[in-house]
Amino acid sequence: QVQLVESGGGLVQAGASLSLSCAASVSGSGRSFSRYNMAWFRQGAGTEREFVAAINWNGNNHIYEDEDFREGRFIISRDNAKKTVTLEIAPLKPEDTAVYYCAASEALGLTRMATNYQFWGQGTQVSVSS
């Protein structure tokens, strides 16, 4: 089992930066945080949950939602020793307003599909004012 707790959300102005953190606790014999690929998703009001970024087990590979990658506004990273995953967003835009979720996957490869992530946090709200 993996329990995930997000933090770092809040109300910020457009153009500012924000760092979201996800702290993981892993239970079960032989299991460790480093065996999981991690990702961030987000869900705005009245919209479906969408993929933001994912990072593989050792942090040397990551994928992003295509448009955000081209803009370079999102950076995902992880610290296996601290069992944390971080999502940095800069500069923020009003359309980034959403609940941001951290997720963990046991899949072998990185994936954008939410259905491939077995464990989810409760989410942290990010609200961006114009």
Side-chain angles (χ1 to χ4, degrees), residues 17-66:
S17 61
L18 200 63
S19 182
L20 305 180
S21 183
C22 172
S25 60
V26 181
S27 60
S29 177
R31 296 182 181 273
S32 66
F33 175 67
S34 61
R35 70 173 284 172
Y36 297 94
N37 294 326
M38 302 297 296
W40 286 93
F41 289 77
R42 67 183 183 183
Q43 187 169 15
T47 66
E48 294 186 353
R49 193 169 298 189
E50 64 176 357
F51 172 80
V52 176
I55 190 166
N56 75 326
W57 68 276
N58 65 2
N60 67 0
N61 191 23
H62 34 68
I63 57 175
Y64 296 90
E65 190 277 330
D66 290 344

Side-chain angles (χ1 to χ4, degrees), residues 44-115:
T47 66
E48 294 186 353
R49 193 169 298 189
E50 64 176 357
F51 172 80
V52 176
I55 190 166
N56 75 326
W57 68 276
N58 65 2
N60 67 0
N61 191 23
H62 34 68
I63 57 175
Y64 296 90
E65 190 277 330
D66 290 344
E67 181 178 352
D68 294 322
F69 178 72
R70 288 196 292 269
E71 293 182 0
R73 296 198 303 118
F74 293 85
I75 299 176
I76 188 172
S77 60
R78 68 187 293 162
D79 186 329
N80 285 344
K82 296 181 179 179
K83 301 179 185 177
T84 58
V85 181
T86 299
L87 181 70
E88 297 177 58
I89 314 171
L92 283 155
K93 299 179 179 180
E95 51 263 43
D96 293 324
T97 295
V99 177
Y100 284 72
Y101 297 92
C102 177
S105 172
E106 296 177 309
L108 291 179
L110 289 178
T111 174
R112 292 178 173 87
M113 297 293 294
T115 53

